[in-house]
Amino acid sequence: MKNPPNIADAKGKLGVLLVGMGAVSTTTIAGVLAIRRGLAKPIGSLTQMGTVRLGKRTEGHSPQIKDFVPLASLDDVVFGGWDIFAENAYEAAKTAGVIDTALLDQIKPELEAITPMSAVFDRRYVKRLDGPNVKRGANKRELADQVRDDIRRFKEANQLDRLVMVWCGSTEVYLTESAVHASIEAFEKGLEQSDDAIPSSMIYAYAAIKEGIPYANAAPNLSADIPALMQLAQQTGSPLCGKDLKTGQTLIKTIIAPGLKSRLIGVEGWYSTNILGNRDGEVLDDPESFKTKEESKKSVLDYIFQPNLYPDLYAKLCHVVRINYYPPRGDNKEGWDNIDIFGWLGYPMQLKINFLCRDSILAAPIVLDVALFMDLARRSGMSGIQEWLSFYFKSPMHAAGLYPEHDLFIQLMKLKNTLRFLKGEELITHLGLEYYD
């Protein structure tokens, strides 16, 4: 095992740059501001409320994570970002309709002070949206340079010590790796030629990585998950993580599926349907954007159930995912799951799950956690893919030749053991035999 790294101090201001100032971003920003003012609790945030056990169970030593590893303080976080609409964070939060106006009004001045920079946007990649606050450039390389200039100006204007970028924008059309993604040289040539295989999210990822700052992808877009940007991240020291925040229905899948598998209960079919009415729902009403989301959501069960190892239980699994745009629902997403299972001697049973969730309320604490943990990774000298943050994603990035770990409970063990490793503490295997020697 490697020796624990020396972690640089967390003192100073941390800039959190959010791409897309829609419901998720404004809910994150407003939430942090409210928590700082003592108006709310950081429920759902591992960095703010979670604990990590150290040593044996009998020792009773479980400090809060934020007291165990040197995370940036919420008081030191400064938010900024880009959006295709020029309205400030207060106006955008009211448009999103997630947080009550009564709470927003208590932090109105701070929200109004956050105005988005003009965005890199191309309707070919997100067909159901359009807006006026958009950058212009001769080619995609020029657009990337404009984003890099934005990053530098934001850092200087706010006297920041460090930065993190999180893509919170919409789901782009489905793309797969191509020749332009194979190397840094090919990618930069593609930027100059405005290659169609380089969507907006890749331009942001390139700009962040080129500046040496962490980049996290909260959507299922290909984004930084290509060889060229992984190579660049190793050169510049940028940590990477993604893709697609695990919030509603997929969160439930990664809780339920490991339980079924652990008891060797067979699954014949898993039918999932969602209705949602926010901007995300409108974007996903386009078949090409839905394809990107569908691939992210459907891969989860394949990797958890491992049908190649358990053919009698999962080889014939019929997995169907549907997403329906329903404007009256707003940001309140509803997921229905019908799970056809079978047990001893093949006798059939069923599970029915109806999850009425608030999409951005579940996503906001994850955006915060990812930003703070990615900053920790950068200060710890950890570059490239941060697999220990798979806990937060539907389609986690992983090294070539590995399968992604989707079991939520294994993911949480991985995350907490990484924190123990960073601080030179003994890793916990949960073997437990030492209590009976």
mmCIF file of all heavy atoms in Angstrom, residues 415-437:
data_model
loop_
_atom_site.group_PDB
_atom_site.id
_atom_site.type_symbol
_atom_site.label_atom_id
_atom_site.label_comp_id
_atom_site.label_asym_id
_atom_site.label_seq_id
_atom_site.Cartn_x
_atom_site.Cartn_y
_atom_site.Cartn_z
ATOM 1 N N LEU A 415 -15.062 4.812 0.207
ATOM 2 C CA LEU A 415 -14.882 6.228 0.504
ATOM 3 C C LEU A 415 -14.276 6.430 1.896
ATOM 4 O O LEU A 415 -13.284 7.162 2.053
ATOM 5 C CB LEU A 415 -16.242 6.936 0.403
ATOM 6 C CG LEU A 415 -16.258 8.467 0.467
ATOM 7 C CD1 LEU A 415 -17.499 9.025 -0.220
ATOM 8 C CD2 LEU A 415 -16.213 8.993 1.900
ATOM 9 N N LYS A 416 -14.852 5.769 2.893
ATOM 10 C CA LYS A 416 -14.365 5.984 4.259
ATOM 11 C C LYS A 416 -12.971 5.405 4.458
ATOM 12 O O LYS A 416 -12.148 5.982 5.192
ATOM 13 C CB LYS A 416 -15.361 5.407 5.269
ATOM 14 C CG LYS A 416 -16.654 6.204 5.341
ATOM 15 C CD LYS A 416 -17.532 5.782 6.505
ATOM 16 C CE LYS A 416 -18.758 6.686 6.611
ATOM 17 N NZ LYS A 416 -19.618 6.329 7.771
ATOM 18 N N ASN A 417 -12.657 4.286 3.799
ATOM 19 C CA ASN A 417 -11.306 3.749 3.902
ATOM 20 C C ASN A 417 -10.289 4.667 3.232
ATOM 21 O O ASN A 417 -9.135 4.757 3.667
ATOM 22 C CB ASN A 417 -11.231 2.344 3.302
ATOM 23 C CG ASN A 417 -11.430 1.250 4.341
ATOM 24 O OD1 ASN A 417 -11.201 1.463 5.538
ATOM 25 N ND2 ASN A 417 -11.867 0.086 3.911
ATOM 26 N N THR A 418 -10.716 5.355 2.177
ATOM 27 C CA THR A 418 -9.813 6.321 1.549
ATOM 28 C C THR A 418 -9.510 7.455 2.518
ATOM 29 O O THR A 418 -8.355 7.908 2.621
ATOM 30 C CB THR A 418 -10.432 6.873 0.252
ATOM 31 O OG1 THR A 418 -10.673 5.792 -0.646
ATOM 32 C CG2 THR A 418 -9.496 7.877 -0.417
ATOM 33 N N LEU A 419 -10.519 7.929 3.243
ATOM 34 C CA LEU A 419 -10.284 8.975 4.233
ATOM 35 C C LEU A 419 -9.350 8.484 5.332
ATOM 36 O O LEU A 419 -8.458 9.221 5.778
ATOM 37 C CB LEU A 419 -11.615 9.433 4.836
ATOM 38 C CG LEU A 419 -12.638 10.050 3.859
ATOM 39 C CD1 LEU A 419 -13.907 10.437 4.611
ATOM 40 C CD2 LEU A 419 -12.058 11.241 3.123
ATOM 41 N N ARG A 420 -9.542 7.230 5.775
ATOM 42 C CA ARG A 420 -8.640 6.670 6.787
ATOM 43 C C ARG A 420 -7.214 6.615 6.254
ATOM 44 O O ARG A 420 -6.251 6.953 6.949
ATOM 45 C CB ARG A 420 -9.119 5.272 7.198
ATOM 46 C CG ARG A 420 -10.463 5.249 7.906
ATOM 47 C CD ARG A 420 -10.857 3.842 8.324
ATOM 48 N NE ARG A 420 -12.194 3.809 8.921
ATOM 49 C CZ ARG A 420 -13.279 3.344 8.312
ATOM 50 N NH1 ARG A 420 -13.190 2.836 7.078
ATOM 51 N NH2 ARG A 420 -14.451 3.366 8.919
ATOM 52 N N PHE A 421 -7.077 6.180 5.009
ATOM 53 C CA PHE A 421 -5.746 6.089 4.394
ATOM 54 C C PHE A 421 -5.076 7.461 4.330
ATOM 55 O O PHE A 421 -3.893 7.610 4.646
ATOM 56 C CB PHE A 421 -5.860 5.489 2.993
ATOM 57 C CG PHE A 421 -4.657 5.711 2.135
ATOM 58 C CD1 PHE A 421 -3.489 4.983 2.355
ATOM 59 C CD2 PHE A 421 -4.668 6.657 1.123
ATOM 60 C CE1 PHE A 421 -2.367 5.200 1.579
ATOM 61 C CE2 PHE A 421 -3.550 6.879 0.346
ATOM 62 C CZ PHE A 421 -2.392 6.148 0.572
ATOM 63 N N LEU A 422 -5.839 8.475 3.928
ATOM 64 C CA LEU A 422 -5.269 9.814 3.803
ATOM 65 C C LEU A 422 -4.718 10.325 5.128
ATOM 66 O O LEU A 422 -3.757 11.105 5.157
ATOM 67 C CB LEU A 422 -6.327 10.791 3.275
ATOM 68 C CG LEU A 422 -6.764 10.621 1.822
ATOM 69 C CD1 LEU A 422 -7.886 11.596 1.481
ATOM 70 C CD2 LEU A 422 -5.598 10.803 0.867
ATOM 71 N N LYS A 423 -5.314 9.868 6.225
ATOM 72 C CA LYS A 423 -4.864 10.317 7.553
ATOM 73 C C LYS A 423 -3.961 9.316 8.259
ATOM 74 O O LYS A 423 -3.639 9.486 9.432
ATOM 75 C CB LYS A 423 -6.089 10.620 8.416
ATOM 76 C CG LYS A 423 -6.902 11.813 7.941
ATOM 77 C CD LYS A 423 -6.135 13.130 8.118
ATOM 78 C CE LYS A 423 -6.049 13.494 9.588
ATOM 79 N NZ LYS A 423 -5.333 14.773 9.793
ATOM 80 N N GLY A 424 -3.567 8.249 7.531
ATOM 81 C CA GLY A 424 -2.659 7.272 8.124
ATOM 82 C C GLY A 424 -3.287 6.376 9.168
ATOM 83 O O GLY A 424 -2.586 5.769 9.984
ATOM 84 N N GLU A 425 -4.609 6.260 9.154
ATOM 85 C CA GLU A 425 -5.318 5.394 10.099
ATOM 86 C C GLU A 425 -5.444 3.979 9.521
ATOM 87 O O GLU A 425 -5.407 3.775 8.313
ATOM 88 C CB GLU A 425 -6.714 5.945 10.377
ATOM 89 C CG GLU A 425 -6.738 7.247 11.147
ATOM 90 C CD GLU A 425 -6.476 7.054 12.634
ATOM 91 O OE1 GLU A 425 -6.605 5.899 13.109
ATOM 92 O OE2 GLU A 425 -6.162 8.052 13.310
ATOM 93 N N GLU A 426 -5.626 3.014 10.398
ATOM 94 C CA GLU A 426 -5.806 1.627 9.969
ATOM 95 C C GLU A 426 -7.118 1.479 9.193
ATOM 96 O O GLU A 426 -8.160 1.990 9.599
ATOM 97 C CB GLU A 426 -5.828 0.714 11.198
ATOM 98 C CG GLU A 426 -5.922 -0.772 10.866
ATOM 99 C CD GLU A 426 -5.910 -1.655 12.110
ATOM 100 O OE1 GLU A 426 -5.715 -1.113 13.216
ATOM 101 O OE2 GLU A 426 -6.106 -2.871 11.963
ATOM 102 N N LEU A 427 -7.044 0.790 8.051
ATOM 103 C CA LEU A 427 -8.247 0.546 7.267
ATOM 104 C C LEU A 427 -9.125 -0.479 7.982
ATOM 105 O O LEU A 427 -8.625 -1.368 8.663
ATOM 106 C CB LEU A 427 -7.893 0.041 5.870
ATOM 107 C CG LEU A 427 -6.926 0.898 5.054
ATOM 108 C CD1 LEU A 427 -6.853 0.390 3.623
ATOM 109 C CD2 LEU A 427 -7.315 2.373 5.074
ATOM 110 N N ILE A 428 -10.424 -0.365 7.813
ATOM 111 C CA ILE A 428 -11.366 -1.255 8.489
ATOM 112 C C ILE A 428 -11.952 -2.230 7.478
ATOM 113 O O ILE A 428 -12.521 -1.827 6.458
ATOM 114 C CB ILE A 428 -12.469 -0.447 9.192
ATOM 115 C CG1 ILE A 428 -11.856 0.309 10.375
ATOM 116 C CG2 ILE A 428 -13.605 -1.351 9.659
ATOM 117 C CD1 ILE A 428 -12.820 1.153 11.167
ATOM 118 N N THR A 429 -11.773 -3.524 7.758
ATOM 119 C CA THR A 429 -12.268 -4.574 6.855
ATOM 120 C C THR A 429 -13.600 -5.149 7.305
ATOM 121 O O THR A 429 -14.245 -5.865 6.541
ATOM 122 C CB THR A 429 -11.259 -5.733 6.782
ATOM 123 O OG1 THR A 429 -11.177 -6.352 8.085
ATOM 124 C CG2 THR A 429 -9.881 -5.234 6.356
ATOM 125 N N HIS A 430 -14.006 -4.869 8.543
ATOM 126 C CA HIS A 430 -15.231 -5.421 9.134
ATOM 127 C C HIS A 430 -15.147 -6.938 9.311
ATOM 128 O O HIS A 430 -16.167 -7.613 9.421
ATOM 129 C CB HIS A 430 -16.471 -5.058 8.299
ATOM 130 C CG HIS A 430 -16.675 -3.575 8.173
ATOM 131 N ND1 HIS A 430 -17.224 -2.822 9.187
ATOM 132 C CD2 HIS A 430 -16.382 -2.711 7.176
ATOM 133 C CE1 HIS A 430 -17.273 -1.551 8.808
ATOM 134 N NE2 HIS A 430 -16.764 -1.461 7.599
ATOM 135 N N LEU A 431 -13.927 -7.492 9.353
ATOM 136 C CA LEU A 431 -13.765 -8.931 9.576
ATOM 137 C C LEU A 431 -14.304 -9.323 10.950
ATOM 138 O O LEU A 431 -15.084 -10.264 11.080
ATOM 139 C CB LEU A 431 -12.285 -9.309 9.449
ATOM 140 C CG LEU A 431 -11.927 -10.779 9.620
ATOM 141 C CD1 LEU A 431 -12.575 -11.614 8.531
ATOM 142 C CD2 LEU A 431 -10.407 -10.961 9.597
ATOM 143 N N GLY A 432 -13.874 -8.609 11.988
ATOM 144 C CA GLY A 432 -14.450 -8.804 13.315
ATOM 145 C C GLY A 432 -13.893 -9.948 14.133
ATOM 146 O O GLY A 432 -14.293 -10.128 15.287
ATOM 147 N N LEU A 433 -12.980 -10.748 13.582
ATOM 148 C CA LEU A 433 -12.452 -11.897 14.342
ATOM 149 C C LEU A 433 -11.642 -11.468 15.557
ATOM 150 O O LEU A 433 -11.522 -12.222 16.528
ATOM 151 C CB LEU A 433 -11.588 -12.771 13.423
ATOM 152 C CG LEU A 433 -12.339 -13.529 12.311
ATOM 153 C CD1 LEU A 433 -11.347 -14.315 11.459
ATOM 154 C CD2 LEU A 433 -13.389 -14.449 12.896
ATOM 155 N N GLU A 434 -11.109 -10.229 15.506
ATOM 156 C CA GLU A 434 -10.252 -9.782 16.631
ATOM 157 C C GLU A 434 -11.026 -9.673 17.932
ATOM 158 O O GLU A 434 -10.439 -9.688 19.020
ATOM 159 C CB GLU A 434 -9.615 -8.431 16.281
ATOM 160 C CG GLU A 434 -10.572 -7.254 16.142
ATOM 161 C CD GLU A 434 -11.134 -7.076 14.757
ATOM 162 O OE1 GLU A 434 -11.124 -8.052 13.963
ATOM 163 O OE2 GLU A 434 -11.623 -5.966 14.444
ATOM 164 N N TYR A 435 -12.356 -9.593 17.850
ATOM 165 C CA TYR A 435 -13.143 -9.476 19.062
ATOM 166 C C TYR A 435 -13.345 -10.839 19.751
ATOM 167 O O TYR A 435 -13.827 -10.893 20.882
ATOM 168 C CB TYR A 435 -14.523 -8.889 18.740
ATOM 169 C CG TYR A 435 -14.449 -7.516 18.113
ATOM 170 C CD1 TYR A 435 -14.774 -7.351 16.771
ATOM 171 C CD2 TYR A 435 -14.074 -6.400 18.845
ATOM 172 C CE1 TYR A 435 -14.720 -6.096 16.184
ATOM 173 C CE2 TYR A 435 -13.997 -5.150 18.257
ATOM 174 C CZ TYR A 435 -14.334 -4.997 16.929
ATOM 175 O OH TYR A 435 -14.271 -3.770 16.351
ATOM 176 N N TYR A 436 -12.972 -11.906 19.043
ATOM 177 C CA TYR A 436 -13.232 -13.250 19.578
ATOM 178 C C TYR A 436 -11.961 -14.058 19.770
ATOM 179 O O TYR A 436 -12.032 -15.255 20.030
ATOM 180 C CB TYR A 436 -14.207 -13.983 18.622
ATOM 181 C CG TYR A 436 -15.506 -13.232 18.477
ATOM 182 C CD1 TYR A 436 -15.723 -12.372 17.402
ATOM 183 C CD2 TYR A 436 -16.529 -13.377 19.421
ATOM 184 C CE1 TYR A 436 -16.902 -11.658 17.287
ATOM 185 C CE2 TYR A 436 -17.716 -12.662 19.302
ATOM 186 C CZ TYR A 436 -17.901 -11.816 18.235
ATOM 187 O OH TYR A 436 -19.062 -11.113 18.116
ATOM 188 N N ASP A 437 -10.802 -13.430 19.624
ATOM 189 C CA ASP A 437 -9.532 -14.146 19.828
ATOM 190 C C ASP A 437 -9.337 -14.465 21.289
ATOM 191 O O ASP A 437 -9.714 -13.688 22.162
ATOM 192 C CB ASP A 437 -8.383 -13.269 19.338
ATOM 193 C CG ASP A 437 -8.364 -13.155 17.811
ATOM 194 O OD1 ASP A 437 -8.974 -14.021 17.170
ATOM 195 O OD2 ASP A 437 -7.761 -12.191 17.307
#
